[in-house]
């Protein structure tokens, strides 16, 4: 192996090096029994980030308009509570927040069923802590989804 190959595999990461050696990882969601594309497949990160942006903007607008009375610091604090309630109510009942609904994303249990209230609560609290949502597995699921045994799929 010449130095260019070694540097290329180092830059590509361990997955690329393992694939070159013959490992087959399959598509995201394969280990969960999800299709590669279309409805029921793992939702792309862009849609998921877009949905959280829409949801957070909605929560900030509600907090600023109804509770904070012009105080931006208070609006941020109120928005956390509003996000918690909104997520518990919407994900717990219909499986998606307004932002997820607009972008065609749904939260389901990893076995394909609905999430119970406790699992939705665990997922939402971990999501509000932010860091667990930034730690992903090979299927693109955040730690908040793994610990609540949920997955975000396309509608």
């Amino acid at each position: 192996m010449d130095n260019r190959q070694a540097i290329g595999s180092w830059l590509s990461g361990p997955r690329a090096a393992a694939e070159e050696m013959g490992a087959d990882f399959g598509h995201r969601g394969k280990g969960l029994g999800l299709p590669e594309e279309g409805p029921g497949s793992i939702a792309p990160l862009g849609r998921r980030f877009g949905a959280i942006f829409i949801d957070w903007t909605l929560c900030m607008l509600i907090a600023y308009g109804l509770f904070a009375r012009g105080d931006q610091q208070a609006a941020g604090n109120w928005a956390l509570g509003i996000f918690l309630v909104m997520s518990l109510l919407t994900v717990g009942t219909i499986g998606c927040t307004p932002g997820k609904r607009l972008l065609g994303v749904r939260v389901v249990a990893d076995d394909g069923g609905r999430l119970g209230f406790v699992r939705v609560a665990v997922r939402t609290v971990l999501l509000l802590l932010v860091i667990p949502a930034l730690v992903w597995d090979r299927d693109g699921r955040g730690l908040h989804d793994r610990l609540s045994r949920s997955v975000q799929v396309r509608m």
Side-chain angles (χ1 to χ4, degrees):
M1 174 187 301
D2 71 24
N3 287 338
R4 288 178 294 180
Q5 282 182 313
I7 290 172
S9 67
W10 177 77
L11 290 174
S12 302
R15 180 179 177 138
E19 286 174 343
E20 283 181 19
M21 294 188 311
D24 179 23
F25 291 103
H27 63 275
R28 290 185 323 142
K30 183 177 182 180
L32 299 169
L34 300 175
E36 186 171 359
E37 294 180 7
S41 65
I42 298 279
L45 289 175
R47 284 188 191 191
R48 291 165 32 193
F49 280 126
I52 196 95
F53 178 78
I54 291 169
D55 292 335
W56 185 250
T57 302
L58 179 64
C59 290
M60 284 297 289
L61 288 172
I62 293 169
Y64 192 77
L66 296 179
F67 301 107
R69 297 192 174 101
D71 183 3
Q72 289 184 348
Q73 177 66 37
N77 293 335
W78 277 104
L80 285 170
I82 293 167
F83 185 88
L84 176 72
V85 170
M86 178 185 70
S87 186
L88 287 173
L89 292 176
T90 58
V91 174
T93 56
I94 61 172
C96 57
T97 61
K100 289 185 187 327
R101 178 72 179 140
L102 285 172
L103 297 180
V105 176
R106 181 180 201 98
V107 180
V108 297
D110 57 6
D111 62 4
R114 266 189 48 204
L115 287 179
F117 179 78
V118 172
R119 288 167 65 182
V120 171
V122 166
R123 182 184 183 281
T124 303
V125 169
L126 290 171
L127 182 60
L128 288 174
L129 294 175
V130 177
I131 299 300
L134 298 177
V135 178
W136 298 323
D137 65 6
R138 65 172 295 280
D139 289 319
R141 292 192 313 164
L143 191 56
H144 65 298
D145 281 328
R146 288 199 44 107
L147 292 176
S148 64
R149 296 186 338 260
S150 63
V151 62
Q152 296 182 63
V153 297
R154 295 178 188 197
M155 293 172 102

